[in-house]
Amino acid sequence: MPKGIRDKYQEQGVEGYYLDHGAGYENPHFAQIEQLLLQNEKRIDYRKVLDLSCGSGEVSVVLQELGFSETEACDPYTQEAYQARLGKSCYSWSFEDIVKGVLGSEYSAVICSFAMHLCPEDLLFSLTYQLFQHTELLVIITPHKRPELEKLEGVTLVFEDYALTPKGKKVRLKAYQSTFTPH
Ligand SMILES: C[S@@+](CC[C@H](N)C(=O)[O-])C[C@H]1O[C@@H](n2cnc3c(N)ncnc32)[C@H](O)[C@@H]1O
């Protein structure tokens, strides 16, 4: 039986896993990501998105198909896969870099798909706080319960949606705004 990604994270650590496999990364749930982004086109401003922890550009590809060309993306381990799929580069920023203040632009939305649960729990508030200094809408796409950003002080869940995998598992889209000091 093939090993699940969770077992692999446990064996190698998240960093070790993506250092080994980042260049060939592809998400088997691309169809649900695409469905969720299409379903929510009217509610999310896609004009200048940051595709955070972009992998091989699952979110960026859909936005490109929808005609949005100003998407930026970042991931510490998958630049090669992103370049191969999108034909353009992404930044190497990690969650830790963002917490340290690396972001310099404003984004119409930040979308983090299948990745924010990888942010260490003790960095989650600082990461979210930093992201809201650069966007009004933070969107996560996740097959997990975590992270529950609505539990953070100053963060409000404004809408959510889901798509079902062929096995009937929910992939959720959750959109957040902040009541932190306006930027
Ligand atoms: C399951 S993949 C999701 C990729 C893509 N967004 C998607 O929807 O398929 C998780 C991503 O998190 C990235 N990642 C791992 N550790 C990270 C960190 N410390 N900071 C930012 N991204 C990280 C990995 O490189 C990987 O691309």
Side-chain angles (χ1 to χ4, degrees):
M1 194 171 90
K3 280 193 176 161
I5 197 159
R6 259 189 228 167
D7 295 331
K8 291 178 185 162
Y9 285 165
Q10 225 155 29
E11 260 171 37
Q12 293 185 262
V14 172
E15 184 177 0
Y17 176 78
Y18 282 108
L19 282 171
D20 262 14
H21 299 93
Y25 173 82
E26 271 184 41
N27 190 328
H29 294 112
F30 177 72
Q32 286 74 48
I33 297 172
E34 186 174 39
Q35 183 187 334
L36 285 168
L37 291 173
L38 294 176
Q39 251 164 228
N40 287 279
E41 195 183 349
K42 297 245 165 11
R43 298 202 279 193
I44 303 171
D45 182 350
Y46 291 143
R47 276 175 300 170
K48 188 180 176 193
V49 164
L50 175 64
D51 179 1
L52 170 61
S53 302
C54 60
S56 58
E58 283 71 10
V59 167
S60 298
V61 163
V62 179
L63 299 183
Q64 193 177 59
E65 284 167 7
L66 288 172
F68 296 95
S69 57
E70 301 219 9
T71 306
E72 292 185 3
C74 66
D75 196 295
Y77 305 118
T78 60
Q79 288 104 316
E80 215 176 307
Y82 189 88
Q83 175 79 45
R85 192 160 177 194
L86 270 293
K88 64 179 191 179
S89 60
C90 67
Y91 295 104
S92 63
W93 306 326
S94 64
F95 301 133
E96 295 79 359
D97 294 327
I98 292 172
V99 167
K100 286 184 196 149
V102 76
L103 294 183
S105 303
E106 294 294 306
Y107 297 100
S108 58
V110 172
I111 304 182
C112 189
S113 165
F114 280 69
M116 211 137 154
H117 63 289
L118 298 175
C119 177
E121 205 61 39
D122 60 343
L123 282 189
L124 202 55
F125 178 81
S126 314
L127 174 66
T128 306
Y129 181 85
Q130 277 299 327
L131 292 171
F132 277 125
Q133 302 307 302
H134 297 273
T135 191
E136 283 180 11
L137 195 72
L138 171 58
V139 178
I140 65 170
I141 297 178
T142 178
H144 310 289
K145 251 196 126 193
R146 280 191 316 120
E148 292 179 292
L149 300 182
E150 56 272 42
K151 292 195 171 158
L152 298 177
E153 201 180 326
V155 178
T156 306
L157 178 67
V158 283
F159 60 86
E160 61 183 317
D161 194 6
Y162 66 86
L164 293 176
T165 68
K167 287 185 178 167
K169 194 170 156 29
K170 274 186 185 173
V171 175
R172 295 168 207 277
L173 177 148
K174 296 169 92 176
Y176 297 94
Q177 284 179 338
S178 95
T179 48
F180 297 136
T181 320
H183 52 279

